[in-house]
Amino acid sequence: MKNVEKLFAEKLLKIKAIKLQPANPFTWASGWKSPFYCDNRKTLSYPSLRNFVKIEICRVIFERFPQVDAIAGVATGAIPQGALVADALDLPFVYVRSTPKDHGLENLIEGDLRPGMKVVVIEDLISTGGSSLKAVDAIRRDGCEVIGMVASFTYGFPVAVEAFKEAKVNLITLTNYEAVLDVALKTEYISDGDVPVLNAWRQDPAHWDVTKE
């Protein structure tokens, strides 16, 4: 029986939410060159897969964070899944902006949190972890406790692993880089020869150069 990590990786590859192009890398918004691209938002267009993600996130929360009082989604990618999860668990929902709104109440957190609430943060994807941990900081400044974060996918960059450890945030993901590579190899989406290139990129994505591989 497949575990959730590999099953979800299969589903993401099937709908082309994940693309691996070692010889023809993508350019991220940060300017980084990457042979790997993940767009979890595509899951929202497939009702059965959208439901799978919701149910699995709820399962993780039941098992790991049963004391949760509220759900927070990180804007913008995790707002839909966060709202779906909060609805399924019958819990309050808020979302955290990347920057405060530039008009009106200038909110950074949209929705109501009461000081002392135990909050689980929902994220769609973890790269460096910077934006995710900014959301954690905002919630903590509101007087609440972040008891964990659940994300759909993580690249597992060393810089992110260290950042979450330093911030003392318990991160659980539905799938990850290793599971995707394993499934991609077994389904011949990529070849054995692509793996060293992908692994070299993951170790130092900021300075990776395909021409040197």
Side-chain angles (χ1 to χ4, degrees):
M1 184 177 176
K2 293 172 188 165
N3 63 23
V4 169
E5 292 176 350
K6 291 184 180 176
L7 182 59
F8 188 34
E10 249 181 34
K11 292 175 182 292
L12 291 174
L13 285 164
K14 186 176 181 180
I15 67 166
K16 297 181 171 58
I18 286 179
K19 294 186 178 181
L20 301 170
Q21 295 180 185
N24 183 27
F26 305 93
T27 302
W28 285 3
S30 62
W32 289 4
K33 294 294 182 182
S34 169
F36 193 130
Y37 191 81
C38 180
D39 181 9
N40 283 313
R41 300 176 202 213
K42 288 190 76 171
T43 63
L44 296 167
S45 298
Y46 298 83
S48 63
L49 185 48
R50 183 177 68 219
N51 206 39
F52 173 88
V53 174
K54 177 188 73 176
I55 289 169
E56 287 303 322
I57 292 176
C58 287
R59 177 187 59 78
V60 170
I61 292 171
F62 272 127
E63 291 177 358
R64 304 294 294 270
F65 312 114
Q67 68 274 45
V68 61
D69 297 317
I71 301 294
V74 180
T76 58
I79 292 175
Q81 284 297 351
L84 287 167
V85 167
D87 188 60
L89 298 177
D90 195 27
L91 289 171
F93 175 71
V94 302
Y95 69 87
V96 187
R97 295 173 174 273
S98 56
T99 56
K101 192 162 60 174
D102 61 4
H103 60 279
L105 297 177
E106 300 181 353
N107 292 335
L108 182 59
I109 298 175
E110 297 290 0
D112 289 329
L113 288 177
R114 297 188 307 277
M117 275 185 158
K118 297 180 187 301
V119 181
V120 171
V121 179
I122 306 299
E123 182 60 288
D124 68 329
L125 179 146
I126 307 294
S127 54
T128 64
S131 58
S132 307
L133 292 175
K134 278 176 63 178
V136 169
D137 288 342
I139 293 166
R140 286 172 171 169
R141 286 197 302 271
D142 245 25
C144 296
E145 179 185 354
V146 174
I147 58 174
M149 183 181 296
V150 185
S152 293
F153 175 81
T154 179
Y155 288 105
F157 293 144
V159 64
V161 172
E162 187 57 36
F164 275 87
K165 183 179 177 182
E166 189 175 323
K168 294 181 172 58
V169 175
N170 187 1
L171 172 67
I172 311 293
T173 61
L174 299 188
T175 193
N176 52 56
Y177 171 89
E178 288 85 1
V180 169
L181 252 62
D182 185 70
V183 172
L185 277 169
K186 286 179 178 173
T187 57
E188 299 183 345
Y189 186 89
I190 58 172
S191 68
D192 288 328
D194 293 324
V195 175
V197 177
L198 288 161
N199 286 341
W201 162 75
R202 191 174 72 143
Q203 284 305 307
D204 189 10
H207 301 102
W208 180 77
D209 183 353
V210 68
T211 62
K212 295 179 181 178
E213 298 298 330

